[in-house]
Amino acid sequence: MIEVSRVSKVYASPAGPVSVLQDLDLTVAPSETVAIVGPSGSGKTTLLNLLGAIDRPTAGTITMDGVDLGGLDADAAARFRNRTIGFIFQLHHLLPQCTILENVLVPRLAGGWDEDNTAVRARATSLLEQVGLAHRLTHRPWQLSGGEQLRVAIARALINRPKVILADEPTGSLDPATGERIADLLLRTNEGAHVALIVVTHNPGLARRMQRTYRLEGGRLVS
Ligand SMILES: Nc1ncnc2c1ncn2[C@@H]1O[C@H](COP(=O)(O)OP(=O)(O)OP(=O)(O)O)[C@@H](O)[C@H]1O
Ligand SMILES: [Mg+2]
């Protein structure tokens, strides 16, 4: 499902180049679950951004679902992301002017999906129920706590039935019980829909529930 080959990432900055990833390789099968751990600043979010076609590697190739991400222009990358990837960001990027139900529906609207509006709203509502927010459908993101906003972002990531879920600290701001519930939801989605799941986390309990764990160290992944 995902093939990362000799990927390097160097950021340009006024203080000089910042080399974050070096010759990194990773292969993920469909419906496989992978945890990526590593200290702050080691490049975990950088790697997810490359996998999500949000940013491009300085060198190397990434193939996902048979598509070479390097060959996509910005529009094609956005379309691919919308159809294939559910991205749970470290910062949730919810739209403040929209209700949480509308926030979950944004990827459907953005993707121009052709289907019954009622069915999609029911699916969005069901996802919000599964993250424990059924009673907050008409609230705005700024009326929610950090952990509640995170849970809206998780429902939003699942609305398009992605083939790959990329999650950056999906339990970061949650208490242990709520974190367990979110892990259950992600793993249920992984099993039921054969979705590959890549989770960046500082939470050892969550990492243990994934089939494989890699540590990002010196710009590479080590088992
Ligand atoms: N646009 C950028 N320009 C320059 N340097 C950057 C840029 N984005 C990230 N970096 C640097 O790249 C390194 C890796 O950042 P990244 O966000 O991937 O780390 P992380 O492993 O996700 O950390 P955390 O656990 O704190 O979220 C950091 O040293 C960061 O300062
Ligand atoms: Mg990060």
Side-chain angles (χ1 to χ4, degrees), residues 93-134:
H93 304 303
L94 299 177
L95 300 175
Q97 69 275 28
C98 295
T99 68
I100 72 165
L101 182 62
E102 288 162 352
N103 266 282
V104 172
L105 287 166
V106 161
R108 301 297 309 177
L109 306 174
W113 298 70
D114 180 23
E115 70 186 331
D116 177 12
N117 197 347
T118 323
V120 189
R121 286 178 78 89
R123 177 166 162 73
T125 306
S126 156
L127 283 167
L128 283 165
E129 257 163 39
Q130 292 176 63
V131 298
L133 291 173

Side-chain angles (χ1 to χ4, degrees), residues 44-45 90 168:
K44 305 180 299 296
T45 297
Q90 198 167 17
D168 205 347

Side-chain angles (χ1 to χ4, degrees), residues 1-73:
M1 171 56 65
I2 305 173
E3 187 75 53
V4 177
S5 175
R6 302 194 61 107
V7 156
S8 298
K9 180 66 186 177
V10 181
Y11 289 110
S13 87
V18 182
S19 175
V20 182
L21 305 178
Q22 278 126 26
D23 280 335
L24 181 147
D25 294 317
L26 173 68
T27 304
V28 181
S31 80
E32 201 169 11
T33 60
V34 174
I36 295 174
V37 302
S40 179
S42 59
K44 305 180 299 296
T45 297
T46 298
L47 176 59
L48 284 194
N49 285 343
L50 299 180
L51 292 174
I54 288 168
D55 198 3
R56 281 166 180 273
T58 312
T61 56
I62 302 176
T63 313
M64 190 176 296
D65 198 23
V67 174
D68 175 4
L69 299 188
L72 303 176
D73 62 22

Side-chain angles (χ1 to χ4, degrees), residues 75-86:
D75 284 351
R79 265 196 311 277
F80 177 81
R81 200 179 311 126
N82 186 268
R83 301 238 155 206
T84 310
I85 299 170

Side-chain angles (χ1 to χ4, degrees), residues 193-212:
H194 305 294
V195 182
L197 178 58
I198 299 185
V199 172
V200 163
T201 186
H202 291 295
N203 174 347
L206 179 61
R208 265 196 302 276
R209 294 185 67 181
M210 302 298 134
Q211 291 157 351
R212 289 190 284 148

